[in-house]
């Protein structure tokens, strides 16, 4: 398990050594995921990740498995929503965009600039792809249980408009 998931690794070294990594990655360490996360009570949320590197069809690949409970804000009730993610993907690590077209069929190409990759970025990308565009509870009963705190005031900007129109 790497102590620093944000370290940049040479792809050739990862693939030649058929290296693998297994451990927890803090969701708060993922910059592109930050604006999606909802503050959760208790411990900081983490993702369980497993990455392994090798060759497949002559290409450098990363096999990525991620499992997490991602705390999101329900867009319906504004309450906390725990979104379960369990995903696995095989990614082809390419040096430039022209190499992406030559990737073996069925494998996702990922741009690894300068022949390097950050493990956390691979994990973060899989999490982002697994999250919904608009997070919300499945039904209204779940929303009532996860509703926003009572001290939050719901804005109703046109509530008094009806009275003003009657005065005319």
């Amino acid at each position: 398990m790497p102590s620093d998931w944000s370290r940049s690794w040479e792809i050739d070294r990862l693939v030649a050594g058929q290296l693998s990594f297994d451990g927890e990655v803090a969701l708060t360490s993922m910059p592109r995921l930050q604006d999606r996360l909802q503050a959760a009570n208790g411990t900081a949320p983490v993702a369980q990740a497993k990455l392994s590197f090798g060759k497949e069809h002559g290409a450098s690949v990363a096999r990525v498995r991620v499992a997490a409970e991602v705390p999101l804000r329900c867009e319906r009730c504004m309450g906390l929503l725990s979104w379960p993610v369990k995903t696995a993907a095989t990614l082809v690590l390419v040096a430039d965009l022209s190499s992406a077209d030559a990737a073996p069929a069925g494998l996702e190409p990922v741009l690894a600039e300068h022949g390097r990759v950050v493990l956390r970025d691979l994990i973060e990308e899989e999490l982002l792809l697994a999250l919904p565009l608009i997070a919300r509870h499945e039904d209204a009963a779940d929303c009532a249980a996860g509703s926003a705190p009572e001290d939050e005031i719901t804005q109703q900007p046109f509530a008094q408009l009806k009275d003003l129109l009657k005065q005319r």
Side-chain angles (χ1 to χ4, degrees), residues 37-100:
L37 293 178
Q38 171 72 19
N41 296 335
T43 61
V46 295
Q48 298 294 326
K50 183 171 184 165
L51 289 85
S52 58
F53 296 86
K55 287 275 189 188
E56 195 170 305
H57 304 292
S60 298
V61 298
R63 289 170 203 82
V64 181
R65 298 175 74 79
V66 182
E69 290 287 330
V70 182
L72 302 174
R73 176 177 287 201
C74 173
E75 296 297 327
R76 185 181 283 157
C77 69
M78 305 309 282
L80 179 63
L81 168 65
S82 183
W83 191 267
V85 172
K86 192 168 188 175
T87 184
T90 302
L91 312 172
V92 176
L93 305 169
V94 297
D96 52 44
L97 293 176
S98 61
S99 302

Side-chain angles (χ1 to χ4, degrees), residues 2-72:
S3 60
D4 184 9
W5 288 90
S6 62
R7 176 181 168 198
S8 177
W9 291 79
E10 293 179 15
I11 293 172
D12 293 339
R13 180 176 172 206
L14 293 168
V15 171
Q18 294 185 339
L19 298 179
S20 61
F21 303 91
D22 191 0
E24 292 183 345
V25 185
L27 297 182
T28 55
S29 72
M30 301 179 188
R32 294 182 300 149
L33 191 60
Q34 288 303 305
D35 64 340
R36 304 279 313 266
L37 293 178
Q38 171 72 19
N41 296 335
T43 61
V46 295
Q48 298 294 326
K50 183 171 184 165
L51 289 85
S52 58
F53 296 86
K55 287 275 189 188
E56 195 170 305
H57 304 292
S60 298
V61 298
R63 289 170 203 82
V64 181
R65 298 175 74 79
V66 182
E69 290 287 330
V70 182
L72 302 174

Side-chain angles (χ1 to χ4, degrees), residues 131-161:
L131 294 179
L133 291 176
I134 298 172
R136 62 185 175 97
H137 290 102
E138 286 297 316
D139 58 45
D142 289 338
C143 265
S147 63
E150 290 180 22
D151 60 350
E152 287 186 22
I153 298 172
T154 303
Q155 297 287 329
Q156 296 181 341
F158 301 109
Q160 295 177 349
L161 183 59

